[in-house]
Amino acid sequence: MSVYDRLQEAVAAIARATGRDRHDAAVVLGSGLSDYARGLEGAVEVPYRAIPHFPVPKVEGHAGELYSVPFPDGNVLVLAGRVHAYEGWDLDDVVFAVRAAASSGCRRVVLTNAAGGVADGLAPGDLVVIRDHLNLTGRNPLVGPNDDRLGPRFPDLSAAYSPQLRATFAEVFADAGVHHREGVYAWMLGPSYETPAEIQMVARAGGDLVGMSTVPETIALRHMGVDVGAISLVTNLAAGISPTPLSHQEVTETATRAKARITAVLDALLPRLMRL
Ligand code: HPA
């Protein structure tokens, strides 16, 4: 079955399970951030396993849930739980949930993630709006025959991260009283963290952040003509910059500590996503 046909089945199942035919914007919650959707008023929760073709994350804690959240100007899909290329998934699976969001009507998608800080001055807990990316994996979700129903063979990525959404993020951060900066996110395959030499390479190549997600989703969404915004939570200093060895525990602990600030930002952001 083609990706396109799988998407049609997923879209129909999302409409049926949420009772809402259309969603206007989506947010993907990254590592350690996936609790956010639980408390949202009017949210309808659907487990990924109830939606045909959705990849179900195997990692501890989060089986993957989609939330449909109503706002005065439209409905937002919140995707809590994503799958990563380093788990061995095909990139078609890695990007399936965001493609399904786009196919359900979402014209704007905000991706969040946990990342290592590479640029000078970054500290764990910082929030960084992604301005551009470096794909250092040599992998791309669009490799293979192109389906023109999804998008063009050679999509343009010269403004991969929507300038308009970046401007909105700046306003939202200001309103929420949360400091932020902008940076370039480098996608590494993982699952091992980088070596200090790799981080030096990333820094010299212009990378400010390093992480194992987001870029394939951005590429697949731009292919479909969707506006993408992305926000990284710096959970640790990158290898060789950090004085201590890297650990997944540090990543999740920093995410937990940043929860209140991230909640304030997302609370301010979600209702505005349909108003741009
Ligand atoms: N490297 C890659 N991915 C990450 C890191 C890191 O330092 N921190 C959180 N995700």
Side-chain angles (χ1 to χ4, degrees), residues 36-128:
Y36 171 71
R38 290 241 158 88
L40 293 171
E41 203 176 310
V44 177
E45 181 180 342
V46 183
Y48 284 3
R49 64 179 147 68
I51 307 168
H53 315 297
F54 255 54
V56 177
K58 299 166 196 140
V59 285
E60 67 292 349
H62 280 282
E65 288 101 30
L66 165 159
Y67 298 80
S68 167
V69 190
F71 288 95
D73 300 306
N75 299 320
V76 176
L77 275 181
V78 180
L79 298 164
R82 57 150 70 91
V83 300
H84 300 85
Y86 65 72
E87 296 169 76
W89 293 94
D90 285 346
L91 292 184
D92 273 337
D93 294 315
V94 170
V95 303
F96 189 82
V98 291
R99 277 180 168 155
S103 302
S104 298
C106 299
R107 302 316 299 154
R108 241 166 239 129
V109 176
V110 175
L111 306 169
T112 66
N113 62 49
V118 175
D120 281 348
L122 287 178
D126 284 352
L127 289 165
V128 182

Side-chain angles (χ1 to χ4, degrees), residues 70-269:
F71 288 95
D73 300 306
N75 299 320
V76 176
L77 275 181
V78 180
L79 298 164
R82 57 150 70 91
V83 300
H84 300 85
Y86 65 72
E87 296 169 76
W89 293 94
D90 285 346
L91 292 184
D92 273 337
D93 294 315
V94 170
V95 303
F96 189 82
V98 291
R99 277 180 168 155
S103 302
S104 298
C106 299
R107 302 316 299 154
R108 241 166 239 129
V109 176
V110 175
L111 306 169
T112 66
N113 62 49
V118 175
D120 281 348
L122 287 178
D126 284 352
L127 289 165
V128 182
V129 169
I130 298 179
R131 172 163 59 78
D132 204 347
H133 73 228
L134 291 166
N135 179 357
L136 300 178
T137 66
R139 302 190 56 186
N140 189 304
L142 306 182
V143 169
N146 187 59
D147 189 333
D148 295 333
R149 292 171 295 185
L150 295 179
R153 172 74 291 186
F154 299 111
D156 172 53
L157 291 182
S158 49
Y161 299 87
S162 155
Q164 203 188 7
L165 271 172
R166 284 162 51 200
T168 301
F169 289 161
E171 289 170 19
V172 161
F173 275 98
D175 289 353
V178 176
H179 170 79
H180 82 288
R181 53 191 267 188
E182 286 202 337
V184 172
Y185 177 94
W187 177 31
M188 304 294 267
L189 185 58
S192 48
Y193 290 114
E194 300 71 29
T195 63
E198 287 163 348
I199 293 302
Q200 285 310 308
M201 175 191 75
V202 168
R204 289 188 187 128
D208 301 306
L209 303 155
V210 65
M212 304 175 194
S213 70
T214 302
V215 169
E217 290 140 300
T218 297
I219 294 170
L221 288 166
R222 292 306 299 142
H223 182 230
M224 297 177 80
V226 173
D227 285 344
V228 177
I231 302 171
S232 287
L233 168 67
V234 176
T235 51
N236 58 281
L237 297 180
I241 301 173
S242 171
T244 55
L246 274 55
S247 73
H248 184 59
Q249 192 186 338
E250 181 186 7
V251 169
T252 53
E253 283 173 3
T254 307
T256 304
R257 278 201 304 277
K259 205 162 272 175
R261 274 178 314 127
I262 289 162
T263 298
V265 168
L266 292 177
D267 281 347
L269 179 65

